[in-house]
Amino acid sequence: MRQFHVLGMPVHIQENYVDWLANRLQGGQGAHVVTLNAEMTMQARQNQELANVIHKADLVVPDGSGIVLYLRSQGEAINRCPGIELSERVVQVAAEQQWQIFLLGGAPGVVDTVATKWQQQWLDIAIAGMHHGYFDETDEQRICEQLQSSNPKLILVGLGVPRQELWIQKYRYLCPNAVWIGVGGSFDIWSGKKNRAPKWLADNNLEWLYRLYQEPWRWRRMLSLPHFVWCVTKDSIVKPRR
Ligand code: UDP
């Protein structure tokens, strides 16, 4: 596995992330997977706790085009690994192997729809449990008990950044041999509640524009994108291309 850095955050480059994760699971080893994009990178510069979790993660994949464009500008021939696609492929392997899966996050009802869809798609899929992402302390305790008793091999956590990363870090000890992935808003897309950007927009690094169109209230958060461009440009001037 090769490791690079984007504004101080690690990024791991692998030939095949799914095989790497499946091998780890087969060997009884878990992993925390972070799907890094420009927004998260900028958040981590302000949030030391989030930065620490990213540094500790076993796998940090280049989810966003900002990350990829920056590394390419440094001469690294790398491709994007969208977290949603990686997670889907790991779910498929888990379904084939009948590994237990746990789904946590999204508005009430969303993971239920996802589970129903996946059960229709993969008849042998084993869903160990699920819960929406708007829980109180009592619910949280029940979720933790359920995690510990069902001991799933794959845990998808969609609570938004940085909550999901901090949550995984806090509770990973409950299922240390599982693969935990912070999936952001992926449950909304898998359930059909939201759409992914059309491929031509993603291919032109404009997924953010579609997101802004679909969720205009995100505009303030998305100001971190020009800030990211500014920071990496400054960084490239100080640290010219190898
Ligand atoms: N969410 C949640 N609990 C919360 C806050 C958010 O389950 O307390 C969910 C929300 O319903 C959505 C996802 O977390 O499905 C956040 O999606 P977003 O696209 O904002 O993810 P990010 O860009 O933060 O990764």
Side-chain angles (χ1 to χ4, degrees):
M1 176 145 71
R2 293 181 301 150
Q3 176 165 319
F4 301 102
H5 284 93
V6 177
L7 299 181
M9 295 304 129
V11 181
H12 302 131
I13 304 299
Q14 276 283 344
E15 272 305 307
N16 189 325
Y17 295 104
V18 182
D19 283 356
W20 188 82
L21 288 170
N23 286 337
R24 262 180 98 92
L25 279 174
Q26 241 130 18
Q29 255 186 311
H32 177 187
V33 182
V34 167
T35 67
L36 190 72
N37 62 20
E39 244 181 83
M40 196 195 286
T41 306
M42 295 315 286
Q43 272 200 55
R45 281 163 71 91
Q46 310 282 332
N47 180 340
Q48 193 54 47
E49 227 188 321
L50 174 61
N52 292 344
V53 176
I54 299 174
H55 277 280
K56 272 202 194 156
D58 305 284
L59 185 64
V60 182
V61 302
D63 169 272
S65 34
I67 303 291
V68 169
L69 291 176
Y70 170 72
L71 289 174
R72 285 190 188 154
S73 77
Q74 297 293 303
E76 309 299 341
I78 68 153
N79 291 318
R80 263 189 86 192
C81 172
I84 187 166
E85 291 174 20
L86 173 65
S87 306
E88 260 166 37
R89 280 188 251 126
V90 181
V91 168
Q92 184 176 348
V93 174
E96 284 161 8
Q97 302 288 332
Q98 294 184 16
W99 287 334
Q100 298 275 349
I101 305 173
F102 198 99
L103 313 177
L104 176 66
V110 170
V111 280
D112 308 65
T113 308
V114 174
T116 307
K117 285 193 169 186
W118 285 353
Q119 275 155 346
Q120 284 162 358
Q121 189 172 351
W122 297 294
L123 297 179
D124 290 333
I125 196 168
I127 310 265
M130 66 189 108
H131 202 285
H132 62 75
Y134 294 84
F135 44 81
D136 59 18
E137 273 178 38
T138 319
D139 290 336
E140 186 163 12
Q141 213 177 333
R142 265 195 298 123
I143 293 166
C144 291
E145 282 163 12
Q146 226 188 326
L147 277 171
Q148 216 161 8
S149 60
S150 60
N151 198 22
K153 278 214 174 192
L154 175 62
I155 303 164
L156 304 179
V157 184
L159 302 174
V161 179
R163 194 171 166 218
Q164 62 194 25
E165 280 69 34
L166 303 181
W167 205 89
I168 293 175
Q169 159 90 352
K170 184 169 175 195
Y171 291 114
R172 200 178 153 192
Y173 76 94
L174 295 172
C175 305
N177 303 327
V179 164
W180 299 68
I181 311 180
V183 296
S186 300
F187 290 130
D188 295 327
I189 291 174
W190 290 321
S191 70
K193 194 175 160 202
K194 282 189 189 149
N195 294 317
R196 262 193 99 184
K199 192 172 174 307
W200 67 270
L201 275 178
D203 287 349
N204 288 289
N205 306 310
L206 291 172
E207 211 159 5
W208 61 271
L209 194 62
Y210 189 78
R211 223 151 175 208
L212 190 60
Y213 155 74
Q214 219 175 195
E215 302 164 77
W217 55 88
R218 288 177 78 98
W219 71 271
R220 197 181 289 278
R221 271 180 66 180
M222 290 178 75
L223 291 179
S224 65
L225 301 180
H227 192 197
F228 174 84
V229 174
W230 166 246
C231 291
V232 293
T233 309
K234 251 187 352 188
D235 193 66
S236 309
I237 294 167
V238 178
K239 214 171 48 182
R241 195 187 143 138
R242 281 186 270 147

